[in-house]
């Protein structure tokens, strides 16, 4: 199958998760393109779309929301999986729940929507971002669980092989 993996990422952690998903799907025999949401010109070439975003202030990033809006009609005819990357479930953090990402995903009939813990590294951020993150109580660290990412990608591959 030809699969598009596209994720909005400001500081790279969601992008690296997108790449890990893509590698796993390639290992399962699929042809996969990783393209930033703003750079996607058409979803027509793809059978499957895996779209995601880092969560900032309870929202998917604008680039990802705009992707869903631009291709709303075409995505109805595709098999879609969606993922968010945020601080939900990170130890000691009582975060905003990144599954509550506003209306962005409510129009997409994703086969599964998954939330991964992300990374917060203050040295990568502007002073303003660090202030917002401090107010939100975001905990420093890299909480990405690569085995969870691979398992989710494997669940996509399994679903695709069932339907072949
Ligand atoms: C200013 C700021 C606001 C954030 N807001 C949220 C939030 O509302 N919910 C959440 O779960 N995580 C939040 N996070 C955590 C990010 O989603 C997390 O750091 C993510 O891994 C960033 O992805 P990126 O490296 O791809 O940009 C926030 C982080 C920052 C710096």
């Amino acid at each position: 199958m030809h699969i598009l993996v596209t994720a909005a990422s400001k500081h790279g952690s969601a992008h690296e998760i997108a790449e890990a998903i893509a590698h796993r799907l390639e290992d399962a025999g699929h042809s996969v393109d990783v393209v930033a949401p703003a750079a996607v010109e058409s979803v027509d070439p793809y059978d499957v779309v895996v779209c995601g975003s880092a969560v900032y202030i309870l929202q998917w990033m604008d680039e990802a929301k705009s992707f869903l809006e631009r291709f709303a009609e075409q995505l109805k005819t595709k098999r879609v999986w969606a993922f968010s990357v945020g601080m939900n479930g990170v130890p000691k953090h009582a975060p905003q729940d990144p599954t509550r990402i506003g209306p962005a995903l409510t129009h997409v009939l994703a086969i599964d929507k998954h939330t991964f813990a992300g990374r917060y590294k203050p040295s990568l951020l502007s002073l303003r971002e660090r202030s917002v993150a401090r107010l939100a109580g975001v905990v420093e660290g890299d909480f990405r669980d690569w085995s969870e990412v691979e398992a989710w990608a494997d669940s996509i591959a399994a679903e695709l092989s069932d339907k072949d």
Side-chain angles (χ1 to χ4, degrees):
M1 297 241 171
H2 197 186
I3 302 177
L4 171 67
V5 178
T6 184
S9 174
K10 195 165 183 188
H11 295 295
S13 60
H15 175 69
E16 287 168 7
I17 287 176
E19 293 211 310
I21 291 168
H23 284 140
R24 200 75 178 175
L25 292 170
E26 274 170 354
D27 287 348
H30 299 287
S31 155
V32 187
D33 293 337
V34 181
V35 185
V40 177
E41 290 176 0
S42 168
V43 294
D44 291 344
Y46 301 104
D47 309 296
V48 173
V49 175
V50 180
C51 58
S53 179
V55 176
Y56 282 91
I57 323 285
L58 284 178
Q59 296 286 320
W60 264 26
M61 292 175 62
D62 286 347
E63 191 189 347
K65 289 195 277 192
S66 154
F67 170 84
L68 293 180
E69 281 162 23
R70 282 192 296 134
F71 298 112
E73 282 308 307
Q74 294 92 317
L75 288 173
K76 286 179 189 159
T77 67
K78 308 283 175 194
R79 280 189 267 171
V80 177
W81 275 262
F83 67 93
S84 302
V85 178
M87 288 307 192
N88 193 35
V90 163
K92 290 195 226 156
H93 186 41
Q96 308 91 328
D97 179 355
T99 56
R100 290 167 49 210
I101 49 172
L105 272 177
T106 52
H107 303 297
V108 178
L109 281 176
I111 293 167
D112 188 32
K113 298 173 186 170
H114 195 87
T115 300
F116 296 108
R119 173 187 66 188
Y120 172 54
K121 204 170 163 193
S123 60
L124 295 176
L125 272 62
S126 68
L127 187 61
R128 186 181 161 276
E129 282 182 307
R130 288 204 297 268
S131 309
V132 175
R134 199 166 38 244
L135 285 175
V138 179
V139 176
E140 180 170 356
D142 188 347
F143 301 96
R144 291 171 297 171
D145 178 340
W146 297 106
S147 57
E148 183 189 356
V149 172
E150 287 178 1
W152 192 65
D154 288 351
S155 76
I156 296 174
E159 174 87 15
L160 295 177
S161 68
D162 278 355
K163 297 268 167 62
D164 277 347

